[in-house]
Amino acid sequence: MLKEATDSVARVDSVLRSRVRVLSFDGAIDAVLKDLPFNLKNITGELVLAQGEFENYASIVELPGSEQCIVTRWHSADDTTASWQAKMASGDDFDQAAKSYQELFRKLQGCHLTLVDGSVIYLKGDWEPAKESASFTTSTLKLMTGDWRYRDVKVELELVYQLADWAVHINIVTKKRDDEVGGRGLVENQ
């Protein structure tokens, strides 16, 4: 019985692995950005973790060198958008994590979204230098476009310190302002 369960898990993992596409850095970011208007449905793989408020799925698009790429879906009546995260590095050496954080920011600055009509939209953002005294540092980039499908898209690069470990993540999210979640405008009718 145990062997059958182990074989079954191995088959599921090998089936999922056969669907995973490790693309170039630019290609993976482009693929994720292109799928945002479809709420990341085309790059969502198998369920990895289900909790009360959210579910994590394996991403079938992975960045080279990433430790893990996941798609998160929230259980919210007001905001049903999905987000994508790549865990890029982790370890106890701040200097190494800060170096990775800076290199990844440079790479993200060179990324873009290529639309169906051939137009190219680049990521632009401000660099937030890493400080060992801060347990959390984030640099945010946005697509420079007026296209409504990408208006609220943010690419966040974060350096996080947790339990004696520095981790570098890339998060691609669609974030509405709190006063716009659920379609509510700035002024509600009374």
Side-chain angles (χ1 to χ4, degrees):
M1 179 77 163
L2 181 59
K3 176 150 176 36
E4 289 174 13
T6 303
D7 288 346
S8 176
V9 170
R11 277 196 299 276
V12 169
D13 186 46
S14 67
V15 168
L16 177 60
R17 279 279 154 218
S18 68
R19 291 181 51 205
V20 171
R21 300 178 308 176
V22 178
L23 303 173
S24 68
F25 191 89
D26 299 10
I29 298 296
D30 184 63
V32 173
L33 292 172
K34 279 183 180 164
D35 203 30
L36 280 171
F38 305 103
N39 209 22
L40 303 176
K41 290 186 190 306
N42 298 307
I43 66 165
T44 300
E46 304 299 321
L47 179 66
V48 175
L49 174 69
Q51 298 245 327
E53 297 177 5
F54 67 90
E55 295 169 343
N56 283 343
Y57 296 86
S59 172
I60 62 171
V61 171
E62 290 190 0
L63 283 172
S66 64
E67 295 178 14
Q68 179 184 36
C69 295
I70 60 169
V71 173
T72 301
R73 298 193 181 286
W74 297 94
H75 298 205
S76 168
D78 288 336
D79 187 3
T80 59
T81 57
S83 63
W84 184 88
Q85 182 181 75
K87 184 174 184 179
M88 297 303 295
S90 62
D92 61 359
D93 184 349
F94 170 78
D95 291 331
Q96 186 61 37
K99 181 179 176 185
S100 177
Y101 173 77
Q102 187 170 11
E103 288 172 1
L104 286 167
F105 184 79
R106 277 193 223 121
K107 283 185 176 182
L108 286 168
Q109 283 182 308
C111 290
H112 59 275
L113 168 68
T114 305
L115 298 176
V116 177
D117 67 1
S119 52
V120 176
I121 305 168
Y122 287 92
L123 286 171
K124 300 285 182 204
D126 295 322
W127 164 251
E128 183 66 35
K131 298 176 199 90
E132 194 167 7
S133 60
S135 61
F136 192 90
T137 305
T138 303
S139 293
T140 303
L141 298 102
K142 292 188 75 162
L143 290 165
M144 301 284 78
T145 181
D147 188 324
W148 64 271
R149 298 171 298 173
Y150 298 102
R151 175 183 58 221
D152 298 318
V153 172
K154 292 182 181 180
V155 177
E156 298 171 333
L157 176 64
E158 61 184 16
L159 176 62
V160 183
Y161 184 72
Q162 297 175 322
L163 303 173
D165 188 45
W166 289 98
V168 182
H169 300 141
I170 296 173
N171 303 307
I172 300 180
V173 299
T174 302
K175 282 191 175 176
K176 295 181 178 176
R177 292 189 342 226
D178 290 341
D179 58 357
E180 291 181 353
V181 171
R184 294 184 299 270
L186 294 173
V187 178
E188 301 228 7
N189 292 334
Q190 297 183 12

